[in-house]
Amino acid sequence: MNEGMNFSMLWIVTQDKQSLINVKEVTVNGKKIEGVIGSASLDHWGKILGKYESNERALEILNEIFTKIEETSGISVTFTMPNE
């Protein structure tokens, strides 16, 4: 029994197009969008996925990621961070 199949794997291509990262969580921090890639107890390992001109734009992109996850029926979702 594989309980992980209930959750999609989220792959993000970073804004600089230099990395493809399997993220567990996506968070807006001011103008930046950060992805949590692993955690153990209270430690989190994260990476900046993209940096934008405003918090409002970062939140728009977070919503685009959410929409992409909702629209995808497979177990894997890939999202490319916009340049701007």
Side-chain angles (χ1 to χ4, degrees):
M1 187 162 128
N2 188 348
E3 293 177 28
M5 297 298 282
N6 295 332
F7 300 100
S8 294
M9 285 201 316
L10 177 59
W11 291 91
I12 301 275
V13 177
T14 55
Q15 186 179 32
D16 63 10
K17 310 296 186 265
Q18 299 299 305
S19 300
L20 175 65
I21 304 170
N22 179 212
V23 298
K24 301 186 180 340
E25 182 180 320
V26 178
T27 304
V28 172
N29 183 359
K31 298 178 183 183
K32 295 179 291 197
I33 297 180
E34 300 172 347
V36 173
I37 55 178
S39 62
S41 63
L42 299 175
D43 293 329
H44 288 283
W45 298 289
K47 183 164 176 72
I48 294 173
L49 305 175
K51 188 172 181 182
Y52 298 94
E53 73 273 4
S54 66
N55 175 251
E56 290 74 20
R57 177 61 181 141
L59 290 170
E60 282 176 12
I61 294 166
L62 183 67
N63 192 53
E64 288 176 25
I65 295 169
F66 175 69
T67 300
K68 179 83 181 264
I69 293 168
E70 276 197 321
E71 291 172 350
T72 304
S73 57
I75 60 165
S76 183
V77 178
T78 304
F79 184 86
T80 302
M81 299 300 287
N83 289 329
E84 295 179 5

